[in-house]
Amino acid sequence: MRDRFAAVVSAAAAVGQVTELDQIAFVHARADLKALEGPHADYLEPLVDGTRGHCGSC
């Protein structure tokens, strides 16, 4: 998924488009959010807490 996302962003940049979302990250806990650079939405922490344990690989 990361490789595909990077390819889409690169293709957009190659034709002069500026993407609103230029990075993707997979997080499993609030601590993972703190390691991310730049701003993030304030609703992410409760969202991460609310989904903990609901995916097959968590």
Side-chain angles (χ1 to χ4, degrees), residues 9-33:
V9 171
S10 292
V15 295
Q17 295 177 345
V18 177
T19 59
E20 182 177 341
L21 180 63
D22 64 352
Q23 294 180 38
I24 190 168
F26 298 98
V27 298
H28 296 282
R30 286 183 183 221
D32 296 335
L33 292 174

Side-chain angles (χ1 to χ4, degrees), residues 1-2 23-41 43-58:
M1 182 177 262
R2 285 184 179 119
Q23 294 180 38
I24 190 168
F26 298 98
V27 298
H28 296 282
R30 286 183 183 221
D32 296 335
L33 292 174
K34 293 180 185 349
L36 299 176
E37 293 182 16
H40 61 271
Y43 59 80
L44 288 179
E45 288 186 14
L47 184 65
V48 169
D49 287 345
T51 59
R52 183 117 176 110
H54 292 283
C55 76
S57 62
C58 296

